[in-house]
Amino acid sequence: MFRALFNLIYPKICYACGEAINGELQDICVTCRAELAYLNIREFQNNPIQQLFWGRVEFEKATAFTKFEKKGKMQHLLHALKYKGIKDVGLTLGELAALEIGTTDFFNDIDVIIPVPIHAKKQKTRGYNQSHYIAQGIQNITEIAIDFDSIVKEQHTSSQTRKRRFERYENVTNTFNLLNKNKLKGKHILLVDDVVTTGSTLEACATQLQKIEGLKLSLLTISVSY
Ligand SMILES: [Zn+2]
């Protein structure tokens, strides 16, 4: 409703290519939608995100919506979402991903969606966590509940730049904190993030969640870099 009214006043543009959008479409024009680097979401057994996390995280299912390409359309979209305050891009990407992935049984037994938390400090500066909007977009299509507050990312002060890889990983691991173990006991959780590159953040978050009794975990990211 609000978006419709807003669009009457301000002409819509595509955040992937910068051209004007006509019609009912939100945030991404028809051409760009067609040209996103879609992954074959039916390849649950051998997709790039599964390969990235094998041996690192125990998961039920894992998939990504698109391949992340430097200077590609997805980079423009995620830049608008994270650094330009265009939260609606998160909703639209979440909806598009859920529509595409929802043509399989991927969402069938998921109980709760958890957007990967960002530092409270970062969230304060940015004003929001971009993954919340992606989760909300997924919820708009699937109607699966979202948990925003059972796990948080703690602030850390030590500089990571001079540490070696293993120490850096340890450092990241210690930054996620479970606040509510009971609520998630025995649930199948879908952990959602915008883009995955090394996977260390997602791995650290997943490792904390897996301390919960009987928890099952699946992973979904909008984009994966490989
Ligand atoms: Zn476009």
Side-chain angles (χ1 to χ4, degrees):
M1 180 67 177
F2 175 75
R3 287 218 288 199
L5 192 66
F6 186 83
N7 292 336
L8 281 178
I9 307 164
Y10 301 95
K12 294 186 287 184
I13 64 151
C14 170
Y15 291 104
C17 70
E19 299 290 322
I21 301 182
N22 296 314
E24 296 298 308
L25 286 182
Q26 300 291 347
D27 310 312
I28 312 169
C29 73
V30 177
T31 314
C32 289
R33 280 172 195 237
E35 287 175 1
L36 286 176
Y38 295 108
L39 291 178
N40 182 354
I41 46 114
R42 284 171 203 286
E43 271 183 37
F44 286 150
Q45 295 313 310
N46 199 22
N47 67 36
I49 198 155
Q50 288 184 328
Q51 288 174 6
L52 186 64
F53 288 109
W54 269 331
R56 296 167 70 184
V57 174
E58 213 175 290
F59 56 80
E60 305 292 316
K61 295 180 256 191
T63 195
F65 178 45
T66 66
K67 179 181 179 179
F68 186 84
E69 295 168 319
K70 271 224 151 115
K71 302 208 163 107
K73 291 182 187 295
M74 190 51 76
Q75 187 176 28
H76 295 306
L77 290 168
L78 293 180
H79 185 83
L81 170 63
K82 284 162 91 165
Y83 306 111
K84 290 185 172 173
I86 319 291
K87 301 168 197 165
D88 279 356
V89 169
L91 289 176
T92 301
L93 286 173
E95 287 172 3
L96 288 178
L99 283 170
E100 178 78 6
I101 294 163
T103 59
T104 71
D105 65 358
F106 188 87
F107 294 110
N108 283 11
D109 50 354
I110 307 278
D111 299 307
V112 185
I113 301 169
I114 294 188
V116 173
I118 58 174
H119 288 141
K121 197 176 166 188
K122 201 186 242 177
Q123 190 158 330
K124 210 170 173 189
T125 334
R126 188 173 292 168
Y128 57 96
N129 174 355
Q130 68 278 1
S131 294
H132 284 186
Y133 290 90
I134 294 166
Q136 221 129 42
I138 296 170
Q139 184 184 51
N140 288 349
I141 304 299
T142 62
E143 297 180 346
I144 299 169
I146 306 175
D147 181 308
F148 290 112
D149 48 21
S150 290
I151 185 163
V152 292
K153 197 172 189 189
E154 299 289 324
Q155 235 168 287
H156 57 91
T157 45
S158 66
S159 164
Q160 294 193 8
T161 45
R162 298 181 69 166
K163 295 191 174 172
R164 283 174 312 193
R165 196 175 171 203
F166 179 71
E167 290 169 325
R168 206 156 56 222
Y169 169 73
E170 284 290 301
N171 190 304
V172 174
T173 305
N174 293 328
T175 64
F176 286 97
N177 236 351
L178 277 174
L179 298 183
N180 197 338
K181 285 188 185 178
N182 287 335
K183 200 168 131 194
L184 299 173
K185 228 186 234 176
K187 301 273 191 216
H188 186 171
I189 287 169
L190 179 64
L191 201 51
V192 166
D193 210 354
D194 53 349
V195 58
V196 61
T197 312
T198 66
S200 60
T201 305
L202 209 57
E203 180 180 357
C205 189
T207 305
Q208 280 299 96
L209 283 168
Q210 279 171 331
K211 291 178 180 167
I212 297 170
E213 201 186 315
L215 182 126
K216 288 197 280 182
L217 196 72
S218 287
L219 312 170
L220 194 167
T221 66
I222 290 299
S223 212
V224 56
S225 167
Y226 63 95

